[in-house]
Amino acid sequence: MTTAAFLGLGAMGYPMASHLTRLGETLVWNRTPGRAEQHAAEFGSRAVTLEETAQADVIFTCLPTSDDVEGLLDRLLPLLKPGTIWVDCTSGRPAAGREQAQRLQQAGAAFLDAPVSGGPTGAKAGTLAVMVGGETEVLERARPLIESFGGTVLRVGPVGTGFAVKAVNNVLMAVHLWATAEGFASLQQQGVDLDAALSVINASSGRSFSSENKFPKILKREFAPFFKLSLLAKDAGIALENVQEVRGSAPLLAQTAMLLRAAQASQSEDADHAELVKFVEAMFGHGTLIAGEASSS
Amino acid sequence: MTTAAFLGLGAMGYPMASHLTRLGETLVWNRTPGRAEQHAAEFGSRAVTLEETAQADVIFTCLPTSDDVEGLLDRLLPLLKPGTIWVDCTSGRPAAGREQAQRLQQAGAAFLDAPVSGGPTGAKAGTLAVMVGGETEVLERARPLIESFGGTVLRVGPVGTGFAVKAVNNVLMAVHLWATAEGFASLQQQGVDLDAALSVINASSGRSFSSENKFPKILKREFAPFFKLSLLAKDAGIALENVQEVRGSAPLLAQTAMLLRAAQASQSEDADHAELVKFVEAMFGHGTLIAGEASSS
Amino acid sequence: MTTAAFLGLGAMGYPMASHLTRLGETLVWNRTPGRAEQHAAEFGSRAVTLEETAQADVIFTCLPTSDDVEGLLDRLLPLLKPGTIWVDCTSGRPAAGREQAQRLQQAGAAFLDAPVSGGPTGAKAGTLAVMVGGETEVLERARPLIESFGGTVLRVGPVGTGFAVKAVNNVLMAVHLWATAEGFASLQQQGVDLDAALSVINASSGRSFSSENKFPKILKREFAPFFKLSLLAKDAGIALENVQEVRGSAPLLAQTAMLLRAAQASQSEDADHAELVKFVEAMFGHGTLIAGEASSS
Amino acid sequence: MTTAAFLGLGAMGYPMASHLTRLGETLVWNRTPGRAEQHAAEFGSRAVTLEETAQADVIFTCLPTSDDVEGLLDRLLPLLKPGTIWVDCTSGRPAAGREQAQRLQQAGAAFLDAPVSGGPTGAKAGTLAVMVGGETEVLERARPLIESFGGTVLRVGPVGTGFAVKAVNNVLMAVHLWATAEGFASLQQQGVDLDAALSVINASSGRSFSSENKFPKILKREFAPFFKLSLLAKDAGIALENVQEVRGSAPLLAQTAMLLRAAQASQSEDADHAELVKFVEAMFGHGTLIAGEASSS
């Protein structure tokens, strides 16, 4: 029977790891160990030391950045069993993923980049979208575990391509959110009922995940912590790096990556990504977007 | 019983006017009269001269631009009955709408701007989203007729705001389409399976109407005529004009409006809006987006 | 002998009008009359009522916007003598200029748009650059007066083109200032000696009027009032309007116009245009540009 | 007496190396050896093998990219004498410079990044601007040699900062050129005499090195090979990389970097950087910028 380990029990990792326990022994580790013990108590996983996770057949990581993953890999690489599969669910950098895959291969282990979309809600429900980069055969071995938390699990190409697709997905989400905020700031100044405008746009061709799922809350000024603005800015930066690596031209993505850094600089470290709207409003220079409300211009 | 007139039987107007015939007498007019006669034969409307449409209780217009509507208004204004409602479904300019409303008011008539979203398919099905600017009481009198072709009919504010919301809806659709094309051009260069990437993004937070409805066809290189690129560029221009009128700052909308003009300049006059993807590909400098295909970078 | 009138004795108009007094009788008018009386006392001009300026052979206006000029024209038009030349040195809108020219022509008068560049310093020295739109023959009649304050006086085309060139000149100045600020914010973070960097760039291909004349002061945090940020934002808006009118694509100019509005929204009403640098610094998110200083990154 | 070596006799290196011969023995090397022999014959330098250049006290490199320099360093590092100074005049990457400096230091040698501005003309005249990163003491030892071809030689900070300043200088030059082209495309459509407009802008605040030195030739459609568009696009990419490394926000620089890639993709490999104007014209969608000419709009 397969033993899984899950490293990184943050807002995403904590619920993701809970699904693994249904399939077999699940080792959990977190930088602050109390969180691992809480997970063990709640879901029947086993809180272990970092070194002990090296005994797992499949090791999952879900951390803020590729640098964090590299730090763990440095420590675990000498301890890994041949045949281990390392599945990195971090929103990482493709180049880092390719390098990690190479180091693991030299140790007889394999690597999949498998970042996820769907937020804490999707993680709890086990319906995350998972974009996988790596060998088909490796994915098939790890698939049952990945499907425990994933509703859509698709291989998008060789190692690193999962990270590449995730970076594009996230920068698109940011583009949609930012552009919608610009549009609504303009409509507000023109005396439009924003609530009605959102309803009709969400029934029209201008709709997006962002307008359907985020904007109703934004117009109520609800900015619950969900996904940090600093991480979204990082992801957009990865997408831009990838464009530059292939010497491509992506003016809208580049512009959005730059604007996100400015929004981040104007907010607190813990700001949620949706709070970029506040910077859009400040740039626009008038008022605050609130449902149904419109200035008299 | 209410008599309706419909002026402008293009790709949208032709099917929209067909629904009115279920509610009562429907006069139809088109610049090229053969099209009106065809409509009469097919749906039981009555093809008339422009002057005869002035006898209707509610006059609908659905034309390429506000300038075209102004041309008709110049000719019909002296002939209108008091109490007439003029419903303009054109994707027009808010300032033009406000001026038209004023002229009609002086003649004892009323104005609604009521642009629509949903394309020829939605027009045929009678499920268009309709964003209405104007007096609530006027809308209520015209509502049964508007709902004959509209699935979602929402008042978004005073005269002109329907046009404003439509311009924002359309520029958002363009932003989404353009940014998605940039993202896929980058992914293609990174060796990604584009078909799989689209499926997983459409299950993730980066999805939009554009990615769900347009991109599957784009990856198959299907660019059937649906909505002209030149009209989308015009609409984005209106959105930018509106931003400037209120002295706002909308960098992503402005950049998209500029890029659309460049895309338009590189295509034929009849190009469909989805063909903007070809200009994105040319800017990116590599290959052509085709489903499932990825360059070896 | 020619009688000149000068309307609008602001930071530019006050010294410009002083040069006219050398050539003949000079009537001066200002919204706040004390300023006109001061001018008369200092330079031997004659402070008059607005109506009295209509007796001049050549009427100069130098006001914040075309709307302000229109207001004066409304009042003076019925009083003008045939043959009068109206020279508008405002940074105005081409469309407004064309309309003003038409109204004046119907009254037997002529119009030149003649905006200037060079700031209060150039105005005092009588070395302004003057970009003139209008009939060659009209310009030749007014040339001696214009050359009293202009070092370079060039006809750039028919009525309105002077305004068009001025708008482009000013948006270019803004582009250069903004881009240089972005570059220096980046260099500062990389541990560069900004003073040395400015010296070497000013000896290199990256230099501009902005880097040569404005940046040395900016690095010393000197932001003396010279030319308002709100007026620069207005001028960039005119340039963008002109691009849209001809359905052109100018992504850098459009982006700069948008960013200027955001900078303006973040500053006080009286902020100098060079203070846009403070918004660039805020977007960049680190520190403040000071000569010779570099963060330790 | 100091022996100098110069590696890379391209359009810049060839004339730069000629000045060194006045100060002492000068070894020259080029990938295609004929060019080195021609240099020796013309200026009295000595054409040698790559390995022989390791005997010089000061080694200059002037190559297309940092990768090219790294290739030479790999081969020469084992052969270098302690105390050697390696002066890299390439428009390189700061990170590459820091790595090269470290490798040289381990071999007892020193590194300066010393990119130049001024083009082949400045190189021939010995009046280049040189932006130097590295230790002050190292620069002072190499200064006489550097000043043989440099008119302005300024230390801007530690190793890597010379490259950083050069990247910013070049992207600024590109911004100015691009924005000026956009402005002139707009003016042309508005019926402006472009030649007169250029003269007056060059006497005004909108002027730049690009408008003063490049635009007069561009309006005559002269695009002599001077500096490749592909190299300018690379430099702008370096500037953008540097912004991202410090997590900064530089929207105008980013947009320009993206547009340059698009311009490059639309031109031949050998296109001069000024030919980016052709892409600006294509985006604008109308006509071609020619001195004095204006469309009738």
Side-chain angles (χ1 to χ4, degrees):
Chain A
M1 208 183 89
T2 307
T3 300
F6 206 105
L7 289 68
L9 301 171
M12 292 302 289
Y14 194 89
M16 285 165 75
S18 75
H19 298 288
L20 293 172
T21 59
R22 285 183 278 114
L23 302 186
E25 188 177 37
T26 306
L27 313 177
V28 292
W29 177 86
N30 198 58
R31 199 166 301 257
T32 52
R35 187 127 171 114
E37 282 151 26
Q38 184 189 339
H39 196 275
E42 189 170 348
F43 299 113
S45 55
R46 188 147 66 89
V48 297
T49 65
L50 182 60
E51 284 69 23
E52 289 174 294
T53 65
Q55 294 313 310
D57 303 299
V58 181
I59 298 175
F60 288 88
T61 38
C62 192
L63 298 165
T65 69
S66 282
D67 286 352
D68 297 312
V69 178
E70 247 168 64
L72 298 188
L73 183 57
D74 288 345
R75 290 170 61 188
L76 289 179
L77 197 56
L79 310 173
L80 293 181
K81 304 184 300 186
T84 303
I85 302 177
W86 187 299
V87 182
D88 188 11
C89 299
T90 300
S91 292
R93 288 182 298 109
R98 289 190 294 267
E99 204 186 297
Q100 286 157 19
Q102 217 168 3
R103 292 174 70 192
L104 284 161
Q105 195 177 19
Q106 286 162 358
F111 179 83
L112 296 173
D113 43 312
V116 299
S117 178
T121 318
K124 266 170 215 151
T127 58
L128 293 171
V130 192
M131 31 212 99
V132 186
E135 295 300 317
T136 303
E137 170 267 334
V138 178
L139 169 57
E140 291 319 311
R141 279 162 52 208
R143 186 181 282 278
L145 293 168
I146 297 174
E147 287 187 339
S148 77
F149 55 74
T152 305
V153 179
L154 275 170
R155 180 180 178 272
V156 295
V159 163
T161 56
F163 289 156
V165 172
K166 181 70 196 304
V168 164
N169 179 77
N170 278 18
V171 76
L172 287 179
M173 187 263 274
V175 168
H176 303 168
L177 198 50
W178 196 288
T180 306
E182 288 184 358
F184 274 74
S186 169
L187 291 178
Q188 184 184 43
Q189 284 307 303
Q190 295 174 74
V192 167
D193 177 326
L194 299 187
D195 220 18
L198 183 59
S199 295
V200 76
I201 286 175
N202 278 337
S204 300
S205 56
R207 75 171 177 266
S208 62
F209 174 89
S210 294
S211 73
E212 291 176 316
N213 293 277
K214 293 291 162 188
F215 247 77
K217 289 171 195 157
I218 288 168
L219 292 185
K220 291 181 196 136
R221 310 310 284 175
E222 292 174 14
F223 296 103
F226 184 83
F227 175 52
K228 280 191 191 179
L229 177 54
S230 59
L231 292 176
L232 183 57
K234 178 210 68 172
D235 292 343
I238 293 173
L240 179 50
E241 254 176 69
N242 294 345
V243 167
Q244 288 188 270
E245 218 166 85
V246 299
R247 302 182 185 189
S249 174
L252 285 189
L253 303 192
Q255 206 61 18
T256 303
M258 292 293 120
L259 292 169
L260 286 170
R261 286 294 182 201
Q264 185 192 356
S266 77
Q267 308 275 334
S268 74
E269 178 56 36
D270 284 332
D272 184 66
H273 72 294
E275 297 185 62
L276 65 82
V277 168
K278 296 177 183 174
F279 187 71
V280 176
E281 292 166 349
M283 287 187 77
F284 208 91
H286 309 279
T288 297
L289 301 179
I290 299 183
E293 196 158 299
S295 87
S296 55
S297 187
Chain B
M1 208 183 89
T2 307
T3 300
F6 205 105
L7 288 68
L9 302 171
M12 293 300 290
Y14 193 88
M16 285 165 75
S18 75
H19 298 288
L20 294 172
T21 58
R22 285 184 277 116
L23 302 186
E25 188 178 36
T26 306
L27 313 177
V28 292
W29 177 87
N30 198 60
R31 198 166 301 257
T32 52
R35 187 129 172 112
E37 283 151 25
Q38 183 189 340
H39 195 276
E42 189 171 349
F43 299 111
S45 55
R46 186 147 66 88
V48 297
T49 65
L50 182 59
E51 285 68 24
E52 288 175 293
T53 64
Q55 295 312 308
D57 304 298
V58 181
I59 297 174
F60 289 88
T61 39
C62 192
L63 298 165
T65 70
S66 282
D67 287 351
D68 297 312
V69 177
E70 248 168 63
L72 300 188
L73 183 58
D74 288 346
R75 291 170 59 189
L76 290 179
L77 197 56
L79 310 174
L80 293 180
K81 304 185 300 187
T84 303
I85 302 177
W86 186 301
V87 183
D88 187 11
C89 299
T90 300
S91 291
R93 287 182 298 108
R98 288 189 295 266
E99 204 186 297
Q100 287 156 20
Q102 218 168 3
R103 294 174 70 191
L104 285 161
Q105 194 177 18
Q106 287 162 359
F111 179 82
L112 296 173
D113 43 312
V116 298
S117 178
T121 319
K124 265 170 215 152
T127 59
L128 293 171
V130 192
M131 32 212 99
V132 185
E135 296 300 315
T136 303
E137 170 267 335
V138 178
L139 169 57
E140 291 318 311
R141 279 162 51 208
R143 185 181 283 277
L145 292 167
I146 296 174
E147 287 188 339
S148 76
F149 54 74
T152 304
V153 180
L154 275 170
R155 180 179 178 272
V156 294
V159 163
T161 56
F163 289 157
V165 172
K166 181 70 197 303
V168 164
N169 179 77
N170 279 18
V171 75
L172 287 179
M173 185 263 273
V175 168
H176 304 168
L177 198 50
W178 195 289
T180 305
E182 287 184 357
F184 274 73
S186 168
L187 291 178
Q188 184 183 44
Q189 284 307 303
Q190 295 174 73
V192 168
D193 177 326
L194 299 187
D195 220 17
L198 183 59
S199 295
V200 77
I201 286 175
N202 278 338
S204 301
S205 56
R207 73 172 178 266
S208 63
F209 174 89
S210 294
S211 73
E212 291 176 316
N213 292 278
K214 293 291 162 189
F215 247 76
K217 288 171 195 158
I218 287 168
L219 292 186
K220 290 180 198 137
R221 309 309 284 174
E222 292 174 14
F223 296 103
F226 184 83
F227 174 52
K228 279 191 190 179
L229 177 54
S230 60
L231 291 177
L232 183 57
K234 178 212 70 174
D235 292 343
I238 293 174
L240 179 51
E241 253 177 69
N242 294 345
V243 167
Q244 288 187 270
E245 217 166 86
V246 299
R247 302 182 185 190
S249 175
L252 287 188
L253 304 192
Q255 194 175 357
T256 303
M258 291 295 119
L259 292 169
L260 286 169
R261 285 293 183 203
Q264 184 192 357
S266 77
Q267 307 276 333
S268 74
E269 178 56 36
D270 284 331
D272 183 66
H273 72 294
E275 297 184 64
L276 65 83
V277 168
K278 296 177 184 174
F279 187 69
V280 176
E281 293 166 347
M283 287 188 77
F284 208 92
H286 309 278
T288 297
L289 301 179
I290 298 183
E293 195 159 299
S295 85
S296 56
S297 189
Chain C
M1 207 183 87
T2 308
T3 299
F6 205 105
L7 289 67
L9 302 171
M12 293 300 290
Y14 194 89
M16 285 165 74
S18 76
H19 298 288
L20 294 172
T21 59
R22 286 183 278 114
L23 303 186
E25 189 178 35
T26 306
L27 314 177
V28 291
W29 177 86
N30 197 60
R31 198 166 299 256
T32 52
R35 188 130 171 112
E37 283 151 25
Q38 185 189 338
H39 196 275
E42 189 172 347
F43 299 112
S45 56
R46 188 147 65 87
V48 297
T49 63
L50 183 60
E51 284 69 23
E52 288 174 293
T53 65
Q55 294 312 307
D57 303 299
V58 181
I59 297 175
F60 288 89
T61 37
C62 192
L63 297 166
T65 68
S66 282
D67 286 351
D68 298 312
V69 178
E70 250 168 61
L72 300 187
L73 184 57
D74 288 345
R75 290 170 60 188
L76 289 179
L77 197 57
L79 310 173
L80 294 180
K81 302 184 301 186
T84 303
I85 302 177
W86 187 301
V87 183
D88 188 11
C89 300
T90 300
S91 292
R93 287 182 297 110
R98 289 190 294 268
E99 202 186 298
Q100 286 157 21
Q102 218 169 2
R103 293 174 70 191
L104 284 161
Q105 195 176 19
Q106 287 162 358
F111 180 83
L112 296 173
D113 43 312
V116 299
S117 178
T121 318
K124 266 169 214 152
T127 58
L128 293 171
V130 192
M131 31 213 99
V132 185
E135 295 301 314
T136 303
E137 170 267 334
V138 178
L139 168 57
E140 290 319 311
R141 279 161 54 207
R143 184 181 283 278
L145 293 167
I146 296 174
E147 286 187 338
S148 76
F149 55 74
T152 304
V153 180
L154 276 170
R155 179 180 179 273
V156 295
V159 163
T161 57
F163 289 156
V165 172
K166 181 68 197 306
V168 164
N169 178 78
N170 280 19
V171 75
L172 287 178
M173 187 262 274
V175 168
H176 304 168
L177 199 51
W178 195 289
T180 306
E182 287 183 358
F184 274 73
S186 168
L187 291 177
Q188 184 183 42
Q189 284 307 304
Q190 295 174 74
V192 168
D193 177 327
L194 299 187
D195 220 18
L198 183 59
S199 295
V200 77
I201 286 175
N202 278 337
S204 300
S205 57
R207 73 171 179 267
S208 63
F209 174 89
S210 293
S211 72
E212 290 176 317
N213 294 277
K214 293 290 161 190
F215 247 77
K217 289 171 194 155
I218 287 167
L219 292 186
K220 292 180 195 135
R221 310 309 285 174
E222 292 174 16
F223 296 102
F226 184 84
F227 175 52
K228 279 190 191 179
L229 177 54
S230 60
L231 290 176
L232 183 57
K234 176 211 68 173
D235 292 343
I238 293 174
L240 179 51
E241 253 177 68
N242 294 345
V243 167
Q244 288 187 270
E245 217 167 86
V246 299
R247 301 181 186 190
S249 175
L252 285 188
L253 304 192
Q255 205 62 17
T256 303
M258 291 294 119
L259 291 169
L260 286 170
R261 286 292 182 203
Q264 184 192 357
S266 77
Q267 307 276 333
S268 75
E269 178 55 37
D270 285 331
D272 184 65
H273 72 293
E275 297 184 65
L276 64 82
V277 168
K278 297 177 183 174
F279 187 70
V280 176
E281 293 166 349
M283 286 187 77
F284 208 91
H286 309 281
T288 296
L289 301 179
I290 298 183
E293 196 158 298
S295 85
S296 54
S297 190
Chain D
M1 209 183 88
T2 308
T3 300
F6 206 106
L7 289 68
L9 302 171
M12 292 301 290
Y14 194 89
M16 285 165 75
S18 75
H19 298 289
L20 294 173
T21 58
R22 285 184 277 115
L23 301 186
E25 189 178 33
T26 305
L27 312 177
V28 291
W29 176 86
N30 198 59
R31 198 166 300 256
T32 52
R35 186 127 171 116
E37 282 151 24
Q38 184 189 339
H39 195 276
E42 189 171 347
F43 299 112
S45 55
R46 189 148 65 87
V48 297
T49 64
L50 182 61
E51 284 70 23
E52 288 174 293
T53 65
Q55 294 313 307
D57 303 300
V58 181
I59 297 174
F60 288 89
T61 37
C62 193
L63 298 165
T65 70
S66 283
D67 286 351
D68 297 312
V69 178
E70 249 168 61
L72 299 188
L73 183 58
D74 288 346
R75 291 171 58 189
L76 289 179
L77 198 57
L79 309 173
L80 294 181
K81 302 184 302 186
T84 303
I85 301 176
W86 186 301
V87 183
D88 188 10
C89 300
T90 300
S91 292
R93 287 182 297 111
R98 288 190 295 266
E99 202 186 300
Q100 286 157 21
Q102 218 169 3
R103 293 174 69 191
L104 284 161
Q105 196 177 19
Q106 287 163 358
F111 180 82
L112 296 173
D113 43 312
V116 299
S117 177
T121 318
K124 266 170 214 151
T127 59
L128 293 170
V130 192
M131 31 213 99
V132 185
E135 295 300 315
T136 303
E137 171 267 335
V138 178
L139 168 57
E140 291 318 311
R141 280 161 53 207
R143 185 181 282 278
L145 292 167
I146 297 175
E147 287 188 339
S148 76
F149 55 73
T152 303
V153 179
L154 276 170
R155 179 179 178 274
V156 294
V159 163
T161 58
F163 288 156
V165 173
K166 182 68 197 306
V168 164
N169 179 78
N170 280 20
V171 75
L172 287 179
M173 186 263 273
V175 168
H176 304 168
L177 199 50
W178 195 289
T180 306
E182 287 184 358
F184 274 74
S186 167
L187 291 178
Q188 184 183 42
Q189 285 308 303
Q190 295 174 73
V192 168
D193 177 327
L194 298 187
D195 219 17
L198 183 59
S199 295
V200 77
I201 286 175
N202 278 337
S204 299
S205 56
R207 74 171 178 266
S208 63
F209 174 88
S210 294
S211 73
E212 290 176 316
N213 293 277
K214 294 289 162 191
F215 247 77
K217 288 171 195 157
I218 287 168
L219 292 185
K220 292 181 196 134
R221 309 310 284 174
E222 292 173 17
F223 297 102
F226 184 84
F227 174 52
K228 279 190 190 179
L229 177 54
S230 59
L231 291 176
L232 182 58
K234 178 211 68 171
D235 292 343
I238 293 174
L240 179 51
E241 251 176 70
N242 294 344
V243 167
Q244 287 187 270
E245 216 166 86
V246 299
R247 301 182 185 189
S249 174
L252 286 189
L253 304 191
Q255 195 176 357
T256 303
M258 292 295 119
L259 291 169
L260 285 170
R261 286 293 182 203
Q264 184 192 357
S266 77
Q267 307 274 334
S268 75
E269 178 56 37
D270 284 331
D272 184 66
H273 72 293
E275 297 185 65
L276 65 83
V277 168
K278 297 177 184 174
F279 187 71
V280 176
E281 293 165 349
M283 286 187 77
F284 209 90
H286 310 280
T288 296
L289 301 179
I290 298 183
E293 195 158 302
S295 84
S296 55
S297 189

